[in-house]
Amino acid sequence: MGTVNTLTPLDSEDVAWFRDDPSLPVAARGAAATLARRLGLGSHRSAEVALAVTEAATNLRRHAEDGALLLRTVRTEDTAGVEFLTIDSGPGMADVAAAMADGTSTGGTLGIGLGAVARLADDFDVHSIPGRGTVMSARFWGRGRDGRPVVPPADETVLAGVTRPISGESVCGDAWAARADGDRGASDHALVVMLCDGLGHGPLAARAGEAAVRAFHETRDLSPEGVLNSVHLALRGTRGGAVSVMRIEPHAHRVLFCGIGNVSGYLVHDGSRRALLSAPGIVGSHMRRLRTFQEPLPEHSALVMHSDGLTDRWDHTTMPGLFSRSPLVVSGHLLREAGIRRDDAGVVVVKGAW
């Protein structure tokens, strides 16, 4: 197995989705500028964030079908930044490099072009499938006194997740979280990831998801079964939910998976996709005896978890180059490809750490 990258995850929070609507560019720009200032990015950097969001949002309105923009916060232990994700259902770009070239911009925008959006961002990624859609992500940190980003650009972020509420709701019952376990660089260093699908939708489902995340961060037992037992106790008195937990141990070349309910897990490698097994039940209500399954972790493989807000009919072999992109862009494409609007949706992708 090759070099193992650091498994320290960024914390993130989905702030708001902006759907395809004439007000999309103005609404997204205002929200992005306000969020950047609130997070302390400074007036100049906040204006750059707003400019990039405006270009991306106007591009969705003018050229995309069923476009949407997600505004997020990202956090390290010391600072916070702004991130956005755009998703559309076509027509896609046959030549991404040409679309990124200077001088290529969206008609009716401020004219800076997607290439300039990439330069304004500290981390940027885009993937497009002609005839099916495009997903783009951009992350922005504040600047220090020397003008450099307060967080160095990441060589590769190892995981990301996206949640989207059912149409008509502003809160989502799907929630996820991740923690590193063990000393960085140690042979037992691991990454633990949980995804909870609170039953139903709306505020009561969101309450269950939030309780699951709190229990995950508070538990001392980071085995999959230990996490599920802690979450089970925390979800009593709520609607309960479906919960899956994976523990990724790159040095041991394995992933441990334990799930209750319909949160699906998959190991993706080359042209194959292997399902990770869950048991029926409702966490917080009735949960049968837990069983953890172990799978070998091939080099350059990827792991996916998603709720039943995504169907299981996605086929990564029909999306060339997808798993060479960042986990956030992969998550966005899976949501675009398999997400359904009549339920909350959540998807998490882990890759590049082994």
Side-chain angles (χ1 to χ4, degrees):
M1 183 167 288
T3 302
V4 177
N5 295 330
T6 178
L7 297 182
T8 304
L10 283 176
D11 288 332
S12 64
E13 179 185 355
D14 296 344
V15 175
W17 279 95
F18 299 88
R19 306 289 174 88
D20 192 9
D21 182 88
S23 66
L24 169 61
V26 173
R29 175 190 176 94
T34 300
L35 179 63
R37 290 193 297 267
R38 180 167 62 82
L39 295 176
L41 268 65
S43 59
H44 180 73
R45 190 59 173 154
S46 296
E48 291 179 333
V49 172
L51 181 60
V53 167
T54 302
E55 180 74 19
T58 306
N59 189 60
L60 287 176
R61 281 293 302 156
R62 286 189 167 268
H63 297 293
E65 299 173 9
D66 194 26
L69 184 146
L70 171 63
L71 191 62
R72 297 155 51 95
T73 61
V74 286
R75 298 180 186 276
T76 67
E77 293 181 354
D78 304 314
T79 193
V82 176
E83 188 170 62
F84 73 79
L85 178 74
T86 64
I87 300 174
D88 66 62
S89 298
M93 294 182 285
D95 189 340
V96 172
M100 297 290 294
D102 286 341
T104 303
S105 64
T106 303
T109 72
L110 298 178
I112 66 170
L114 294 183
V117 173
R119 288 194 297 275
L120 287 172
D122 295 305
D123 292 287
F124 178 88
D125 195 23
V126 61
H127 186 256
S128 189
I129 305 172
R132 292 166 71 175
T134 301
V135 176
M136 178 174 67
S137 68
R139 182 183 302 152
F140 305 83
W141 299 108
R143 294 291 184 261
R145 293 182 177 178
D146 59 1
R148 296 180 180 179
V150 295
V151 177
D155 292 332
E156 187 165 17
T157 303
V158 300
L159 90 159
V162 177
T163 61
R164 184 180 68 189
I166 188 173
S167 295
E169 288 283 357
S170 60
V171 295
C172 185
D174 289 8
W176 68 277
R179 289 173 61 183
D181 187 27
D183 295 330
R184 184 179 301 181
S187 60
D188 63 347
H189 195 48
L191 181 65
V192 185
V193 187
M194 179 210 67
L195 176 60
C196 173
D197 177 0
L199 294 187
H201 53 81
L204 293 180
R207 179 187 167 204
E210 292 163 0
V213 169
R214 285 195 300 271
F216 173 79
H217 283 299
E218 292 171 358
T219 186
R220 295 183 178 181
D221 185 349
L222 286 176
S223 67
E225 293 182 13
V227 171
L228 267 169
N229 280 321
S230 295
V231 173
H232 180 60
L233 292 175
L235 263 57
R236 290 179 175 174
T238 74
R239 285 183 172 181
V243 181
S244 287
V245 181
M246 60 174 59
R247 180 182 175 90
I248 302 146
E249 300 178 344
H251 289 282
H253 305 183
R254 69 178 187 174
V255 57
L256 306 175
F257 185 86
C258 186
I260 295 293
N262 51 8
V263 171
S264 302
Y266 297 95
L267 174 65
V268 179
H269 183 235
D270 292 334
S272 67
R273 186 186 78 170
R274 183 184 306 170
L276 306 175
L277 299 178
S278 296
I282 300 175
V283 180
S285 178
H286 51 275
M287 189 171 72
R288 63 171 58 186
R289 185 173 63 87
L290 298 175
R291 182 180 177 187
T292 296
F293 295 90
Q294 176 179 317
E295 291 284 349
L297 194 61
E299 189 172 359
H300 306 309
S301 58
L303 293 159
V304 176
M305 285 197 297
H306 65 72
S307 69
D308 62 354
L310 284 76
T311 72
D312 62 2
R313 293 191 295 270
W314 56 270
D315 181 357
H316 66 286
T317 64
T318 68
M319 296 179 276
L322 176 60
F323 277 88
S324 67
R325 310 315 307 176
S326 68
L328 182 56
V329 164
V330 177
S331 296
H333 262 300
L334 294 179
L335 183 62
R336 177 199 59 77
E337 187 80 4
I340 56 178
R341 297 295 175 86
R342 61 181 184 274
D343 197 2
D344 293 337
V347 54
V348 182
V349 173
V350 190
K351 61 178 290 288
W354 54 90

